[in-house]
Amino acid sequence: MLIPNHSGAFVAATPINRIRFRFGQFEADLSEGKLFKRGVLVRLENRPFQVLAALLERPGDLVTREELYARLWPAGTYVDFDEGLNTAVRKLRHALRDSADTPILIETVPRKGYRFIAPLVAFPAHAPAAPPPTPIRRAWLILSVIVLAFACLAFALLSRRRTIRPNEPQFARLSFGQGRIVSARFAPDGKSVIYGAAWDGNPARLFWAREGSPDVRPLGIDAEVLAISPSGQMALLLHRRYGFGASSKGTLATMSLTGSAPKELLDEVGEADWSPDGSQLAVIHYVGETCRLEYPIGHVRYQTTGGAWLSHVRTSPRGERVAFLEHPLAGDDIGHAVILSLRKPEKIVTKDFYAILGLAWAPRADAVWLTAAKAGAGRALFTFNLSGEQELVWRETGSLIIQDISPYGAFLLSRDVSQDEVFGHSELSQTDVALCWMHHCVPTALSRDGSLVLVSVQGEGSGSGYQVYVRSTRRDSPRVLVGNGMPRQFSPDGHSVLLVDRSSLQPQTTPQLFVLPIGPGAPRQITHDAISHDWAAWFPDGNRFVFIGAESGHSSRTWIQKNDRGKPVPITPEGTLGVHISPDSKTLAAISSDYKLCLYPVAGGVPKFLASVDEVEEVDGWSNDGRYLFLTKYGLPAEVDRMDAATGKRKRLYSAAPADPAGVSVVGPVLVTPNGKFFVYAYTRVLSTLYAVRGF
């Protein structure tokens, strides 16, 4: 009899404690209780090894914490089981060099148990020595081995489960600069590559490369490549503009591979792709607060509003479907992939991911490949077919973005190493204070005196969600974990924080507002409505709050609500957004969708137009006396201005930029104290390498 292993291969039925398992560089011998890495013995205590054995015996299945308790400690044992099991798992992961946040081998199922997720080969361990076989026994033994080998081969070929590939994928490096790969596509020959890269803090520029050649040639065009048609016509993006978060947009243009200057087509575009014959373009087009998928240009196929946005549109090789990524929160890369039929009302959607960027069709048009993270910061490679089946294919400790797949099955993958950097700047100090201590740190609010900063943490070390921290802005100061959620602002008395709860990423979940004590206490929900809440702030008296939110099917607007029992009342029209209330609680500063800064009377009445602003400019707050507004224009550098609230006259206060701009696309957010003497600024540094990959 044969029994299957996790990879879909088969081994002869053998007592489980006499089986040896191979996964990656490791082998585990259950009969001897030993773990080897490339043939070298790895020191591992008994309890961590027993955890490993339990997971290997049931690969892919959930092994509960209760089952592990029973295996590690006999009945009647008195011990802190939770702490003991956590210690054993931690030691096991250390020996395997695995991560709890971005696991490759052992996945944590919160509050339930663990699951072994890596491909696995099982084979009998060495049996005890036996007397030399007689000639007849030797003949039967040889015949049995031959039959067994053919049986294994037949079962492996017939198995519907994915088998381990005989060879690892082969990565051929194509880029050699210091900075970020923003886009890459195969040329029509399937071997030449055009990619856009922002090296050493410069704008994105086009380069030509070819697999197997160290020669990389600049094309002399400041642009990103979005798609290349079969005839060699490129769809380019010029002047990409970044605001707060992951979403961005620019001007769509076209140019042939042999051309010298792009021809501009359409502004406010995020992504684009050619139809299979190169005659039409599918585009992600921003129109006010609405983000639309148009195919061809002008024909709306799908749209979102209320801050939700779309990205990475890709037409199928046969032309009957279009795929794209949908992100439900403004500026956040959480979301899912969508395959939309162009011939019938059919939509196929993946599960939601905590980060998803990158999408490409398989050459046979029967599936899409995408790069996404289920938890933590590392994006892995998945497939998603037309039957709705999703499969993890390749995972690394870093983050991948799939850029393209050639008709011959070669992949373009960029490998990103990213790190958030946050600094506090004071007029009285010569050096800025570093405030980020984790992989992804986003400052969201400052206390009025600038002594405390509210920080949202996500990624490695924070699990599969957002954590709320408060820390001092002094050098080497401690930080305090307050709870979970997306923090927005300190309360006026400084004892609590206002946050958006987004515990689930399912599209039907409506984010609500909560108040979370900085000290002891449970979070308290203060909104109970069908509005999708995004950003929020308190009135100075603490009795009311203002928030940005969208009703279903509508664009975002600003609302005011009195305490947690009042009803939200809109104060601005749809598309006009702001949360900063003047110190006397009488005026809201808000920016419209056509980039006009207006002052809205809280008590009602006609708003006052103050000034036109840049599309990547935001209000940061009011001065203590209410005479001025602080505004930041995102960019490299970010520019902080003080504007007279009566006349609209500006004065430049600060320019914020990293000393080394490599890998930095935009500086922001920026937070300014009401006296204008201290500010915090942040940015993400992404260092990329582009590869042509074969073997998936």
Side-chain angles (χ1 to χ4, degrees), residues 539 544-546 558-562 567-571 602:
F539 272 70
R544 290 174 290 175
F545 56 91
V546 57
T558 300
W559 308 71
I560 291 176
Q561 183 172 325
K562 187 175 181 179
K567 293 184 178 181
V569 177
I571 186 174
V602 170

Side-chain angles (χ1 to χ4, degrees), residues 495-515:
H495 294 160
S496 59
V497 298
L498 191 61
L499 62 86
V500 176
D501 176 65
R502 188 77 185 190
S503 57
S504 171
L505 298 180
Q506 297 302 320
Q508 67 267 22
T509 304
T510 302
Q512 299 293 328
L513 295 178
F514 286 74
V515 174

Side-chain angles (χ1 to χ4, degrees), residues 125-137:
H126 295 297
T134 64
I136 295 178
R137 285 186 59 202

Side-chain angles (χ1 to χ4, degrees), residues 280-298:
Q280 302 285 349
L281 279 164
V283 300
I284 302 297
H285 186 200
Y286 290 85
V287 180
E289 275 284 294
T290 302
C291 185
R292 310 195 312 199
L293 166 61
E294 300 176 7
Y295 184 35
I297 293 175

Side-chain angles (χ1 to χ4, degrees), residues 571-583:
I571 186 174
T572 67
E574 292 185 18
T576 299
L577 311 176
V579 294
H580 294 286
I581 300 291
S582 61

Side-chain angles (χ1 to χ4, degrees), residues 173-174 176 208-217:
R173 185 169 179 170
L174 298 177
F176 301 91
W208 174 95
R210 187 175 178 86
E211 185 179 357
S213 171
D215 186 25
V216 177
R217 304 174 190 172

